[in-house]
Amino acid sequence: MSSPAAAPAVQTARHGAVLVATLHNPPVNALSVEVRRGLLQAVEQAEADPEVRALLLVGAGRGFIAGADIREFGKPPQPPSLPDVCNRIEACSKPVIAAIHGAALGGGLEVAMAAHYRLAMADARLGLPEVQLGLIPGAGGTQRAPRLMGLKPAVELMLSGRHLGAAQALETGLVDRLGEGGDAAAAGLAYAHQLLAARAVVRRTCDGSLADDVEAARATLQQIRAETATKTRGLFSPLKIVEAVEAGLDLPFEDALRHERQLFLQCIDSPQRAGLIHAFFAEREVVKAPETRDHAPRPIASVGVVGGGTMGAGIAVAVLDAGLPVTMVERDAQALARGRANVEKVYDALVAKGRLSAQARAAVLARFQGSTAYADLAGADLVIEAVFEDIAVKHAVFAELDRVCKPGAVLATNTSYLDIDAIAAGVSRPQDVIGLHFFSPANIMKLLEIVVPARVSPEVVATAFDLARTLGKVPVRAGVCDGFIGNRILARYRQAADFLMEDGASPYEIDEAVRAFGYPMGPYQVSDLAGGDIGWATRKRRAPTRDPRARYVQIPDRLCERGWFGQKTGRGYYLYPQGSRTGVPDPEVLAIIDAERQRAGIRPRRFTPEEIQRRYLAAMVNEGANVLREGIALRPLDIDVTFLHGYGFPRFRGGPMKYADTVGLDRVLADICEFAQDDPLFWQPSPLLVELVGQGRNFDSLNRL
Ligand code: 3H9
């Protein structure tokens, strides 16, 4: 069977003296090789046709151009390159006009900046977000943006990666005018005809100057470089952006472009680029769970929340923020008043900071209702339970929900550890029961583990993914086990950290090594922030089922027994003098650790930061492999996204499984085997890891379902 020839990616049509070149490369008009070729041909066609006096570039569909085709990075480059295309557009002897609607990002904005005139529609979003992918603008953006907007705003745009709206783009000089109506082609055509009528000349961005006062510009860049080095510690591409712009101060335009290209290629080769682009695609893959393909979600127009503690209130706020009504149920009037206060506190803080008007606060809270009667949840389409983590308490809540909720209502639990299959087994409608594991603070943290018990209907799973989209969360599908994906893996690497601590590294050295890897905080700082009592409760719960042969570090218990739970009690692993939020090392903690080492008969030894990182990550990756093998996570990328959005894993490393691929699975396995010499029970290599190494495969080979 022969397939019909693909429609050209750039289609041209004459409208009087204007040649309109329309990009057709759904979904986002990325600059694939066909689009690049099509753009070049359009310029040549405009040059060659004596009837054509101007060329108009527009995008079909949702937007202008979302940038280079990210899927091409890392593959052999195919001509023409984007810089060549942009230079050819700029060199065109007839005026070229870009009419922008929707996204004009990265290479898309670079195409527009190479055109001679730019018009933005009301919905336009313009930006140079390459930095978020570990790149710099590589098709003249570092040279043309400063010429249009001024040096400092252009560098700020490139370093932040943020998008500008149409009005802001006009204000900064990035575009020349705003288009009327909703049709970019029509508005662009009207503008082109006006320009022709006014005998507008070819106006090349490259002819402008990068900075009027070169020395002042150099000083500005020097200051930006210093600030960037501190702010983006460990990141490769931000300083390359500054370098590319600075080169433009001294070099002719063409040479500056060549320099920009070299820096761009250095970024392309960096593992950070690979990690960040992996994160970009992984975030878009996680939403495509199998159940979402064939099953329509149930409509969710009202939500109930059981429990008004930190989690319940945070979930209520997340739902209110998405524009839905919430009914909160608590066991008595006092608890309900606390729950309501927890919700109001969030909005009061926003009003105090000037981020929300008193009127908007009132409008949000008008959608919030409190009750002490389960019967008030009878109309809810979805109820999320966020009560105390105790299976008997959960069973009691679900029995009530089973009694009062309407048929077809989704019954969700926010448990972090408990067996959701058991919770589902306790009700008459297990097909409606699912886990929605929010992370604290639930209105801020993006991650939502969607925990899928055995008997839930696929439609309910699809509903959970749809809810995540409504709430602006990043959903990850997880299976039922103790801790699901995130907390189960966390428990393992926290143990590895505790072993390191008992064996000789101080908590401060461990935190520092973990920060040096790219985390914002180390595990002991996190423990102090979250409250040591949480982990203590978990350890007590697990004590009866703990393998008696397994090594158990008692240092955290010693701290908890003293009531040192972290920031909220003024001390934990660190001291927090006078309510300060940044801790200082505590000699008494070090003394407790010493005493524990003696009690356990351990002669402390030194660990380098690199040794600490190797053990910490090997424990994470090994448990990740087990989670995959057991089907708790669908793909390695689901684990990556979980850790990027819920556990502070450095984004530029792509996630733990991507990181393991970068290091090489054989090396990770060799580390685990080495560590197993001291503790073979803890460091049992995951059979999946062994299998992959044996087959010469990596985790990424499991990402394609
Ligand atoms: C660059 O331009 C380098 C140059 O300076 C120099 C070159 C020499 N390529 O996000 P969505 C896919 S670097 C390929 O869900 P939205 C995406 O994977 C680039 N594919 O939609 C998804 O696929 P699927 C600088 C891309 O409406 C589908 O499109 N540009 C690209 O929520 C829909 O995407 C950027 O960094 C791409 N460039 O958001 C912009 N972009 O359906 C990156 C998207 O199979 N893109 N896809 O899962 C975005 O920020 C958002 O996609 C956008 C739309 C805001 C455009």
Side-chain angles (χ1 to χ4, degrees), residues 25-32 36 62 65-73 81-83 102-110 125 127-133 135-141 163 260-261 264-265 268 277 280-281 283-285 287-288:
N25 187 20
V28 294
N29 290 331
L31 290 156
S32 65
R36 299 198 299 274
R62 286 169 25 190
I65 305 171
D69 187 339
I70 304 171
R71 288 175 213 272
E72 286 182 2
F73 294 155
S81 73
L82 190 58
L105 300 174
L109 183 54
E110 289 176 301
R125 280 191 292 157
L128 293 167
E130 285 87 344
V131 72
Q132 285 161 1
L133 304 175
L135 294 170
I136 70 169
H163 301 176
E260 176 196 81
R261 183 76 183 158
F264 176 78
L265 292 176
I268 281 278
I277 288 187
F280 178 89
F281 285 120
E283 282 159 359
R284 283 156 180 80
E285 278 311 304
V287 298
K288 301 171 192 164

Side-chain angles (χ1 to χ4, degrees), residues 131-135 232-238 266-279 517 651-654 658 662:
V131 72
Q132 285 161 1
L133 304 175
L135 294 170
T232 63
R233 204 170 49 94
L235 285 185
F236 186 70
S237 77
Q266 284 175 21
C267 292
I268 281 278
D269 286 342
S270 86
Q272 294 192 357
R273 187 275 304 164
L276 288 165
I277 288 187
H278 172 76
F517 181 78
R651 187 176 173 86
F652 67 85
R653 297 195 190 267
K658 173 70 184 173
T662 311

Side-chain angles (χ1 to χ4, degrees), residues 406-552:
K406 65 183 180 187
V410 174
L411 309 182
T413 170
N414 175 54
T415 181
S416 313
Y417 293 95
L418 299 177
D419 183 351
I420 303 178
D421 283 319
I423 295 174
V427 296
S428 66
R429 34 174 139 174
Q431 73 280 4
D432 295 332
V433 175
I434 194 161
L436 290 179
H437 182 211
F438 289 81
F439 288 69
S440 185
N443 54 317
I444 308 270
M445 294 289 283
K446 287 272 174 235
L447 181 64
L448 179 64
E449 273 182 310
I450 295 181
V451 192
V452 179
R455 291 164 70 187
V456 69
S457 91
E459 204 182 292
V460 167
V461 181
T463 308
F465 275 86
D466 198 48
L467 175 80
R469 196 180 43 77
T470 309
L471 301 188
K473 299 289 179 200
V474 179
V476 172
R477 187 189 189 284
V480 175
C481 69
D482 193 341
F484 318 131
I485 298 178
N487 283 345
R488 171 166 161 182
I489 297 174
L490 164 73
R492 285 308 270 189
Y493 65 82
R494 254 314 298 262
Q495 260 180 301
D498 287 350
F499 295 163
L500 279 160
M501 177 163 65
E502 198 175 51
D503 285 339
S506 78
Y508 317 120
E509 287 169 325
I510 296 169
D511 279 350
E512 202 178 320
V514 169
R515 283 197 306 270
F517 181 78
Y519 274 88
M521 281 194 266
Y524 298 103
Q525 289 174 292
V526 172
S527 169
D528 275 4
L529 183 67
D533 46 333
I534 295 174
W536 197 25
T538 308
R539 291 194 297 280
K540 284 185 198 160
R541 178 171 59 77
R542 285 190 175 140
T545 52
R546 196 161 39 232
D547 184 338
R549 297 165 304 157
R551 179 174 176 188
Y552 182 75

Side-chain angles (χ1 to χ4, degrees), residues 316-383:
V317 170
V319 176
L320 288 169
D321 284 348
L324 292 169
V326 172
T327 303
M328 176 184 279
V329 167
E330 259 292 3
R331 59 181 183 281
D332 55 40
Q334 212 183 356
L336 183 61
R338 253 198 320 268
R340 179 184 288 279
N342 284 339
V343 170
E344 287 177 352
K345 199 165 66 184
V346 174
Y347 294 107
D348 290 344
L350 291 176
V351 172
K353 283 185 205 150
R355 292 213 221 130
L356 189 77
S357 68
Q359 216 177 3
R361 172 191 177 279
V364 174
L365 290 173
R367 280 188 275 111
F368 178 77
Q369 272 194 344
S371 171
T372 53
Y374 277 94
D376 285 331
L377 297 176
D381 298 313
L382 159 74
V383 179

